[in-house]
Every structure is written in C-alpha cells, then in structure tokens.
Amino acid sequence: MINEVLHSRLIAFALGAWMVYCGSIGAYDGALFIPMIYALLLLLNHIDQKKSDGAGNADAHK
C-alpha cells in the first residue's frame, strides 16, 4: 500500500505544486519540509524492501 502511494504521480504533482507555491511566496522552509519528509519515507521504504529481500535469501543459503 505505502509503495503505491509513494510512487504515485498525483502525490509527486501535489508536492511539486506545493514547492512552487511556497517558493513563490518566499516560504522556503515549507518548500523543503514536505519533500524532505517524502524523501525520508522513500528511504525507509527502500530499506524495508531490502530487509525483506535479504531475509528470503538468507534462508536459501543454509
């Protein structure tokens, strides 16, 4: 579920629109805060997928 949300084009468009809006009014902290949270979620999702892939391979080597 979270993987589909993170890779959604609608979410990416909304983040881009938010960054443009915040940048146009000069609120650069708002323009950077939400994409940083999104990047953190992507990183955590990637780490979680690596852990689940690694667990399956560890059993095969025994």
Side-chain angles (χ1 to χ4, degrees), residues 23-59:
S24 68
I25 63 171
Y28 300 111
D29 55 342
L32 294 177
F33 178 72
I34 297 216
M36 285 173 60
I37 296 296
Y38 181 73
L40 180 66
L41 288 173
L42 280 174
L43 179 67
L44 291 175
N45 187 35
H46 179 70
I47 290 171
D48 187 46
Q49 284 182 352
K50 280 185 124 180
K51 281 184 183 178
S52 65
D53 290 344
N57 291 340
D59 292 336

Side-chain angles (χ1 to χ4, degrees), residues 3-18:
N3 200 19
E4 289 86 16
V5 172
L6 287 174
H7 294 107
S8 169
R9 289 184 183 180
L10 182 61
I11 298 294
F13 178 77
L15 285 176
W18 179 256

